[in-house]
Amino acid sequence: MAKLTFHGAIEGVTGSSYLLETATAKILLECGLYQGRREEEKQNDNAFPFNIGELDAVVLSHGHLDHSGRLPKLSADGYKGPIYMTNPTAELLEVLLKDSASLQRSDAEWENKRRRRSGKDLIEPLYTAEDVEETLTQCVGNCYGKRISIVEGVDVCFRDAGHILGSSIVEMFITEGGTEKKLVFSGDLGNSYAALLSDPEVVEEADVLLLESTYGDRNHRPMDETLEEFEDIIVEASKNGGNILIPSFAVGRTQEIIFRLGQLYQKGKLKQQAVFLDSPMAIAVTEIYHRYQNVYNTEDAAALGQSKKSSLHTFLPVLRYSTSTAESMALNRIESGAIIIAGSGMCTGGRIRHHFKHNLWKRNAHVIIVGYQANGTPGRALVDGSTVFRTGGEEIFVRAAIHTLGGFSAHAGQSQLLDWVSNFKKPHPRLFLVHGENNAKIALQKHLASAGWSAEIPTKNQSISF
């Protein structure tokens, strides 16, 4: 009998981690960072709650750090086995984990400056660039839809989740005593109205199902309304001459925004002189997106064109990359007519803060918020109407127009989650809700009950047998 233990993304949406144990193997499903409040992030320093030396394999649904970000720590602590994922995820991990290691180093250096002043012991970063390099040698990329054997008695198949490039629904087939059981992990399911990627694949059978519930308590604003407002902002800004600043996440959201700007360009609605992507990380990710156009949905792939040279660049000819610091600084000499996309998505760091310094005080400037802004972040303060933005010890008066667009989400909303689950045949699998705040899980649980499902909400470190 197989055993599954819920180690992470149980009391919130980050730190994804589940341990599958069979008669012949131990497999870790996900190895994510805890993100958010300081007390949550402190959990990243904790020892793993299982014997790393007994692990036979690791399986990863996609590249976002709340699912993958502790892999280098796992390698540094002694895991030397394979890590299975899709091919695009393997490429994205090189970008994401190297950036994460750089941030870990910077955070440790900043903290140690404070500790030296107070005479406290110094700390080490969670992991190093060398740990990341070791992790990358362990990655094994796979195609969608191909069932592979990863250890004796356990096969894995990745299905397209439509969340970010390479994201997958993980099917795990466990054979014991001549009987096969199937565990399905939804991963993060995509928003079917988002650009470029396909809708989440339908899965019809499972014995145990782990379902994400990030937006289990609400639906997203309709995409047509979001795009209409997006167009109105772009047109208004072109008339009054101000620059447009878009804080954006490097993976998924940036590529969606570039595609939507391309649609406006093709319609003749984009009058701005240039669109600048000012994020080395987002540039690297966008190039990976170009290499995997075979996974795009049919409609958007057709819009981009079928030639080998087709890309977001050809769809949006005014797109420019700003790779160096000097190129980024040069953008601040542009008084009007530019759209600047830069990280970080919640305005906590990155080049967007530099551009705010030069534009946020201008009455003809515009800021378009296209992603979730967590409580306590500078981006959330702008959304909530703050009149002052603080950066680098300076206070900048906010005179620019702040626009918040709620429809650009890479996650399935409540109704989309319910629609995806409705494809499972009866008898229903045993269903567990993960990756959600308590209110989201409880709301989704109630809606599932109305549809004839008995959904369970696991507790941290709870184990089940099946």
Side-chain angles (χ1 to χ4, degrees):
M1 185 171 288
K3 183 171 82 169
L4 180 70
T5 303
F6 300 87
H7 286 307
I10 304 305
E11 297 171 341
V13 297
T14 67
S16 188
S17 180
Y18 315 94
L19 183 65
L20 174 65
E21 300 175 76
T22 73
T24 57
K26 291 187 178 181
I27 301 160
L28 184 64
L29 174 60
E30 311 284 85
C31 191
L33 273 178
Y34 288 95
Q35 298 172 308
R37 300 179 183 89
R38 183 167 295 182
E39 57 269 24
E40 293 170 328
E41 293 187 349
K42 283 182 179 179
Q43 297 180 78
N44 293 319
D45 295 318
N46 295 342
F48 288 99
F50 45 78
N51 188 331
I52 294 174
E54 295 179 352
L55 286 180
D56 296 288
V58 176
V59 177
L60 188 66
S61 70
H62 68 285
H64 274 151
L65 292 179
D66 58 326
H67 293 256
S68 69
R70 286 223 292 174
L71 284 172
K73 176 175 170 58
L74 190 74
S75 298
D77 288 357
Y79 178 68
K80 303 304 177 187
I83 306 170
Y84 295 94
M85 64 197 70
T86 65
N87 290 311
T89 297
E91 289 203 43
L92 286 175
L93 275 190
E94 182 173 2
V95 177
L96 294 172
L97 292 181
K98 285 182 178 179
D99 182 73
S100 178
S102 177
L103 290 174
Q104 299 291 341
R105 184 191 69 243
S106 297
D107 288 348
E109 290 173 351
W110 183 88
E111 175 64 17
N112 284 335
K113 286 181 181 178
R114 190 182 66 83
R115 285 172 172 257
R116 287 189 183 94
R117 290 195 295 268
S118 58
K120 294 182 179 179
D121 292 338
L122 302 185
I123 63 169
E124 295 292 330
L126 186 64
Y127 48 79
T128 66
E130 290 73 23
D131 297 328
V132 170
E133 293 295 343
E134 175 64 24
T135 297
L136 295 176
T137 67
Q138 299 169 256
C139 295
V140 181
N142 298 274
C143 300
Y144 285 128
K146 182 180 179 182
R147 179 168 166 170
I148 60 169
S149 175
I150 60 170
V151 295
E152 181 186 353
V154 180
D155 292 356
V156 166
C157 183
F158 297 102
R159 302 289 181 184
D160 194 345
H163 172 59
I164 63 169
L165 187 69
S167 60
S168 63
I169 300 157
V170 180
E171 297 178 306
M172 303 185 75
F173 304 86
I174 303 104
T175 302
E176 293 181 313
T179 301
E180 182 179 272
K181 296 289 185 180
K182 183 179 177 184
L183 167 68
V184 172
F185 172 48
S186 72
D188 284 347
L189 294 175
N191 179 354
S192 58
Y193 298 105
L196 298 178
L197 302 182
S198 299
D199 293 351
E201 283 192 60
V202 168
V203 180
E204 296 182 337
E205 296 179 339
D207 294 286
V208 174
L209 171 61
L210 310 186
L211 176 66
E212 69 117 324
S213 55
T214 308
Y215 287 94
D217 57 345
R218 59 195 185 277
N219 288 310
H220 305 304
R221 183 185 181 190
M223 182 58 76
D224 57 350
E225 293 181 12
T226 298
L227 294 178
E228 183 178 349
E229 183 178 356
F230 187 55
E231 179 178 327
D232 289 344
I233 296 166
I234 299 297
V235 171
E236 178 188 348
S238 70
K239 290 178 180 177
N240 66 22
N243 292 325
I244 298 175
L245 307 181
I246 305 179
S248 189
F249 301 102
V251 184
R253 193 60 44 83
T254 289
Q255 293 72 38
E256 163 114 13
I257 294 303
I258 291 172
F259 179 78
R260 298 303 186 187
L261 289 171
Q263 288 180 314
L264 294 178
Y265 179 90
Q266 297 297 325
K267 290 168 56 179
K269 297 287 188 178
L270 190 72
K271 303 301 183 182
Q272 280 75 7
Q273 300 164 6
V275 175
F276 295 97
L277 179 53
D278 189 25
S279 164
M281 183 179 174
I283 290 168
V285 169
T286 302
E287 289 302 303
I288 295 172
Y289 265 68
H290 288 162
R291 293 198 287 275
Y292 286 95
Q293 294 184 47
N294 61 301
V295 303
Y296 289 2
N297 67 64
T298 303
E299 182 180 354
D300 293 345
L304 287 174
Q306 300 299 321
S307 72
K308 292 182 180 179
K309 294 183 180 180
S310 65
S311 68
L312 291 171
H313 281 284
T314 56
F315 194 55
L316 180 60
V318 295
L319 177 64
R320 305 286 184 266
Y321 284 168
S322 297
T323 54
S324 68
T325 301
E327 289 173 327
S328 176
M329 293 176 66
L331 299 183
N332 294 313
R333 294 196 292 270
I334 301 174
E335 292 294 329
S336 65
I339 298 175
I340 301 171
I341 306 169
S344 66
M346 295 187 191
C347 312
T348 53
R351 294 179 176 181
I352 193 66
R353 294 173 68 88
H354 187 65
H355 298 307
F356 279 172
K357 180 179 177 180
H358 291 268
N359 288 274
L360 207 53
W361 51 271
K362 297 179 180 178
R363 295 189 186 279
N364 64 350
H366 296 258
V367 176
I368 305 179
I369 303 293
V370 296
Y372 175 73
Q373 307 296 312
N375 284 326
T377 62
R380 182 58 175 266
L382 286 177
V383 170
D384 289 342
S386 176
T387 58
V388 175
F389 186 87
R390 295 173 176 83
T391 179
E394 295 184 58
E395 291 189 346
I396 303 166
F397 287 104
V398 180
R399 296 190 178 96
I402 310 298
H403 310 271
T404 304
L405 299 184
F408 291 122
S409 177
H411 279 273
Q414 183 190 77
S415 62
Q416 294 169 324
L417 292 170
L418 294 169
D419 286 345
W420 186 77
V421 166
S422 70
N423 292 292
F424 282 88
K425 298 176 181 177
K426 293 184 178 181
H428 289 156
R430 190 175 178 187
L431 173 58
F432 294 90
L433 301 181
V434 295
H435 275 277
E437 301 294 346
N438 282 336
N439 57 340
K441 286 184 286 195
I442 292 170
L444 186 59
Q445 184 184 47
K446 290 179 179 177
H447 280 273
L448 285 164
S450 299
W453 287 80
S454 178
E456 302 176 54
I457 298 176
T459 56
K460 191 169 185 178
N461 299 322
Q462 176 185 346
S463 296
I464 64 162
S465 297
F466 65 98

